[in-house]
Amino acid sequence: MEVLFEPAASQPVVTVEPPPARFNFAAHLFALNAPRAAKTAYIDDSGHMTYGELEGRARRFSSALRSLGVHPEERVLLVMLDTVSLPIAFLGALYAGVVPVVANTLLTPADYVYMLTHSHARAVIASSALIPNVTQAMETAEHDGCQLIVSDRAAPAPEGAPLAAPVLEDLIDAATPALKAATTGCDDIAFWLYSSGSTGKPKGTVHTHANLYWTAELYAKPVLGIVESDVVFSAAKLFFAYGLGNALTFPLSVGATAVLMAERPTADAVFSRLTRHRPTVFYGVPTLYASMLVSPNLPARDDVAMRVCASAGEALPREIGERFTRHFGCEILDGIGSTEMLHIFLSNRAGEVEYGTTGRPVPGYEVELRDDSGRTVGDGEVGDLFIKGPSAALMYWSNREKTRATFLGEWIRSGDKYSRLPNGCYVYAGRSDDMLKVSGQYVSPVEVEMVLVQHDAVLEAAVVGVDHGGLVKTRAFVVLKREFPPSEILVDELKAFVKDRLAPHKYPRDIVFVDDLPKTATGKIQRFKLREQS
């Protein structure tokens, strides 16, 4: 039966055929792409992989997991850089009914101890560059026979020398392709993602096989307009919910080609891929877009092939979006998603971009803004953002308290504050726990930050509240562009700049110049760390 999603009057109705009750997402992708066996699915730093090779190696890994004694519904921790090995491991686990838990690659051994203990992982697959942190964690964590698998060889092993751990490539080469996918359903647990931890301990967010399907059908195809001929490149990594959709779910759902990059997404590293592989769809985060625009190595418009870009993780400043479009001639579709909803549920649309807003609800999702008593608020009022949609996670694993506070029947409490404009666009006001009350009136840190970055000298800004004799005052941490030295004159100029554009009580009482801002691996500013410094 088809499901009709009726968005705003200006948008077309989206008709989506739901997946069958018995559904394995990996098997679904393999069936879709069977006619494309010779087409390139992935390009990474080592070469190309076709759709046929991807399916074959994933199905071999599915068999290898079973031979290692890893059973359906058991967890496998993936601590892997963005290479073709990660999609192979992820899809092979799904095919076997095993639950891959995709982990941030920038964590400390202590963080991996927590994840190993919390997930009860039966195996860890780690990139060779990350082995020291992972092995240190495995030596410390309490686990029942968790096995280590190295996803790649940093260098050939000396002839006759035993390997300390099996290598993923060898396990795959020795295995016979699994003939049949595990019998799983739409609502069966497929994988976990740990929340980014911007406000504390990461939470194991549990997703189903169908959730991947819905993000492709509701966002990637109708909003991004992704098609088979696209080449996509996501600077956001696969361990991030945003990146997993960008570089795995979306391209594989239409038979497109995805570019993967193992190294850190600096502006120069991104430019290299944009000019060499000429992707047509690019996914970034606001801090990356800002650093790209101020780089002396910014490519010319004719050197790239981008037709559309996306942004998430933090609100995209209007000035950044407008400058990017003027230079490259393509729009950035700013949106907001979450680990709990798996991908973007509020987004700008091509041809209707309104920079400075997060756009309108993606068809198939409903949003509400509610006050502290749970009543919906009107246009222009700030409220807590609640979302309802088919890609919602099931729960936080082994965390009943947080699950009950976030998953409220059909609705999810996002933890974000928003207001809605009369035209239906939503404007980000910050995280609920970041809102400040100054002189008895609420101040959105994001609103102040958005004004500060409009100043010619400012690259990035973050605003927090600090205690001042029992009262809250605002403090702005500002990263300046290279050509602007810090000075007291500039402090006064920035304060006046904000006063001229916002209500008087909103200007930052203190301004501190810093070299950079603390961020999560997904680009979100960690304001709690700035508050700790204050």
Side-chain angles (χ1 to χ4, degrees):
M1 184 177 109
E2 293 182 335
V3 179
L4 300 180
F5 294 107
E6 299 186 12
S10 62
Q11 300 292 327
V13 172
V14 176
T15 305
V16 179
E17 181 74 31
R22 286 296 177 194
F23 184 71
N24 181 291
F25 187 71
H28 165 71
L29 291 183
F30 297 157
L32 276 179
N33 292 303
R36 304 184 183 97
K39 184 174 188 241
T40 298
Y42 281 105
I43 302 169
D44 70 4
D45 298 335
S46 299
H48 298 60
M49 174 168 284
T50 67
Y51 272 97
E53 290 167 335
L54 175 64
E55 176 182 350
R57 297 190 77 73
R59 288 173 55 203
R60 285 176 180 273
F61 180 61
S62 176
S63 291
L65 281 172
R66 293 170 183 171
S67 68
L68 290 170
V70 182
H71 303 106
E73 300 187 6
E74 292 181 333
R75 271 77 63 195
V76 172
L77 190 66
L78 308 184
V79 189
M80 304 172 71
L81 300 174
D82 278 21
T83 70
V84 294
S85 295
L86 205 165
I88 289 169
F90 184 85
L91 294 172
L94 293 187
Y95 198 77
V98 173
V99 178
V101 180
V102 190
N104 185 332
T105 58
L106 303 175
L107 300 179
T108 66
D111 294 314
Y112 294 131
V113 168
Y114 169 78
M115 290 181 177
L116 284 165
T117 304
H118 179 254
S119 69
H120 301 286
R122 292 296 312 279
V124 181
I125 307 173
S127 296
S128 58
L130 308 173
I131 289 295
N133 280 353
V134 171
T135 53
Q136 186 177 334
M138 293 182 72
E139 289 167 0
T140 306
E142 294 183 8
H143 59 79
D144 297 321
C146 183
Q147 305 168 75
L148 175 63
I149 300 169
V150 183
S151 73
D152 59 304
R153 283 197 187 91
E159 188 174 350
L163 292 173
V167 176
L168 180 64
E169 297 168 24
D170 295 339
L171 292 174
I172 290 172
D173 288 341
T176 301
L179 296 177
K180 183 180 176 183
T183 304
T184 54
C186 282
D187 294 335
D188 282 352
I189 295 173
F191 67 102
W192 300 6
L193 293 170
Y194 275 99
S195 65
S196 61
S198 60
T199 57
K201 275 281 190 209
K203 299 176 288 292
T205 311
V206 179
H207 280 285
T208 69
H209 282 267
N211 288 0
L212 293 157
Y213 173 88
W214 286 116
T215 59
E217 296 300 319
L218 297 179
Y219 173 76
K221 296 178 184 179
V223 177
L224 282 178
I226 189 169
V227 293
E228 181 179 359
S229 59
D230 278 317
V231 176
V232 308
F233 172 43
S234 177
K237 299 299 185 181
L238 283 160
F239 63 74
F240 181 15
Y242 176 49
L244 184 68
N246 299 344
L248 191 149
T249 312
F250 300 168
L252 300 189
S253 291
V254 296
T257 297
V259 177
L260 297 179
M261 179 176 71
E263 66 183 292
R264 192 167 63 89
T266 62
D268 284 346
V270 168
F271 295 155
S272 173
R273 275 73 180 182
L274 291 179
T275 55
R276 186 191 324 159
H277 302 299
R278 296 180 64 82
T280 52
V281 182
F282 174 65
Y283 309 86
V285 296
T287 52
L288 175 60
Y289 286 118
S291 65
M292 289 168 65
L293 288 170
V294 299
S295 171
N297 300 320
L298 184 69
R301 180 185 295 194
D302 291 343
D303 292 334
V304 301
M306 295 178 290
R307 65 168 182 82
V308 68
C309 298
S311 181
E314 290 269 89
L316 180 73
R318 179 194 301 272
E319 187 257 352
I320 297 297
E322 290 174 345
R323 284 176 56 202
F324 190 92
T325 297
R326 281 197 302 271
H327 182 83
F328 286 114
C330 66
E331 297 173 314
I332 301 175
L333 308 185
D334 188 27
I336 183 175
S338 67
T339 308
E340 293 77 10
M341 293 303 296
L342 189 55
H343 214 276
I344 289 172
F345 50 81
L346 266 179
S347 179
N348 279 273
R349 309 292 205 285
E352 300 180 7
V353 168
E354 187 167 336
Y355 287 126
T357 80
T358 316
R360 298 177 175 84
V362 170
Y365 295 88
E366 295 179 44
V367 302
E368 285 186 1
L369 300 182
R370 303 177 187 175
D371 63 18
D372 292 342
S373 63
R375 292 190 293 265
T376 56
V377 303
D379 288 351
E381 298 181 64
V382 173
D384 291 300
L385 180 69
F386 288 74
I387 318 105
K388 180 168 67 172
S391 64
L394 294 175
M395 60 181 161
Y396 298 131
W397 187 264
S398 190
N399 195 333
R400 184 175 177 84
E401 179 183 359
K402 291 288 186 182
T403 295
R404 294 180 67 179
T406 301
F407 299 89
L408 308 174
E410 293 184 290
W411 293 90
I412 283 182
R413 185 199 308 271
S414 72
D416 295 296
K417 293 277 191 182
Y418 265 88
S419 63
R420 187 179 60 243
L421 300 177
N423 67 1
C425 287
Y426 285 73
V427 179
Y428 186 58
R431 293 289 296 173
S432 300
D433 46 14
D434 287 332
M435 291 293 286
L436 307 174
K437 205 164 193 180
V438 179
S439 301
Q441 302 177 76
Y442 277 111
V443 174
S444 163
V446 172
E447 183 183 21
V448 182
E449 293 162 8
M450 290 289 192
V451 171
L452 282 167
V453 296
Q454 292 175 32
H455 192 280
D456 289 340
V458 177
L459 178 62
E460 293 182 293
V463 174
V464 300
V466 297
D467 183 86
H468 185 69
L471 300 174
V472 174
K473 68 175 182 178
T474 49
R475 174 171 294 167
F477 292 83
V478 172
V479 179
L480 296 174
K481 295 175 183 175
R482 282 175 294 186
E483 61 268 31
F484 291 90
S487 68
E488 286 301 319
I489 293 175
L490 186 53
V491 167
D492 293 337
E493 185 179 324
L494 291 174
K495 288 180 180 180
F497 186 81
V498 176
K499 284 181 183 178
D500 287 346
R501 289 159 176 79
L502 295 177
H505 69 281
K506 295 183 178 181
Y507 85 93
R509 272 47 173 191
D510 293 334
I511 293 181
V512 179
F513 296 120
V514 294
D515 292 332
D516 51 41
L517 299 173
K519 300 185 186 78
T520 67
T522 58
K524 295 180 181 179
I525 296 171
Q526 294 175 306
R527 291 178 181 81
F528 74 94
K529 289 190 175 180
L530 295 174
R531 285 193 290 269
E532 291 170 357
Q533 296 175 20
S534 300

